[in-house]
Amino acid sequence: MEVCFVTSLFSDNYKISDKPIKFKKNEDYDYYLFTNLDKNKFDTSWEIVNIFNDEKNFSNIKHNVIRSRYPKFMFWQYLKEVMKKKYDVVFYCDCILYPNSDVNWKKYGDIILKSESGIIQSLHFLNNTPYDECDFIFKERKETEEDMI
């Protein structure tokens, strides 16, 4: 089973962005961080994929929060069409997190492949409801109140 992990980080400035860290990887899997930032600024185990200049997918998207949603929900298309990669299962996680190398991710891949929807999702580790998530986003200045309405 071919397994891949993806995350995304889009910001106007690396200094004010979240900082993905180095972590122990399982060599059987691929790990991609999609970003618009200079890959030389990162010190992480993720393989940095700069997609800022991808005109086909991003030419009309100016807002970084919306840009970050593309890898979250459309990573399969980018992996397949642009990177020419094919995976049986792709996991997304926030960039401040990382996949635990001791977890049997292929077991979760089997669950995904057997499910009717083709996806599984866990609750956010900090927020219990969509309202909690909105409060967190606003508090951490990830989004403006005007853009959230």
Side-chain angles (χ1 to χ4, degrees), residues 3-7 75 89-93 105 108-109 112 120:
V3 175
C4 164
F5 296 92
V6 298
T7 191
F75 51 79
V89 180
V90 180
F91 293 96
Y92 179 89
C93 70
W105 291 102
Y108 291 104
I112 292 168
I120 59 173

Side-chain angles (χ1 to χ4, degrees), residues 120-133:
I120 59 173
Q121 184 171 356
S122 64
L123 291 174
H124 194 284
F125 72 103
L126 292 176
N127 304 310
N128 295 317
T129 70
Y131 301 109
D132 292 339
E133 179 73 9

Side-chain angles (χ1 to χ4, degrees), residues 5 8-10 22 36 41 53 56 67 76 79 81 83 87 97 100 107 111-112 124 138 145:
F5 296 92
S8 62
L9 176 58
F10 289 81
K22 286 191 174 187
N36 64 322
K41 302 250 184 215
N53 294 322
K56 177 183 174 200
R67 281 183 175 172
W76 59 270
L79 290 167
E81 294 178 6
M83 297 177 67
Y87 295 96
L97 304 174
N100 183 331
K107 176 180 87 173
I111 294 169
I112 292 168
H124 194 284
F138 183 70
E145 186 174 8

Side-chain angles (χ1 to χ4, degrees), residues 28-79:
D28 292 336
Y29 309 140
D30 291 330
Y31 302 80
Y32 301 111
L33 184 153
F34 294 97
T35 187
N36 64 322
L37 299 170
D38 180 357
K39 68 180 179 179
N40 296 317
K41 302 250 184 215
F42 291 91
D43 185 22
T44 182
S45 301
W46 294 98
E47 181 179 333
I48 308 302
V49 179
N50 191 299
I51 55 177
F52 180 71
N53 294 322
D54 180 350
E55 291 299 321
K56 177 183 174 200
N57 296 304
F58 288 103
S59 61
N60 62 342
I61 303 173
K62 305 300 181 207
H63 198 277
N64 284 327
V65 171
I66 297 171
R67 281 183 175 172
S68 73
R69 297 303 181 252
Y70 181 85
K72 189 171 190 174
F73 298 105
M74 298 300 292
F75 51 79
W76 59 270
Q77 182 179 32
Y78 194 88
L79 290 167

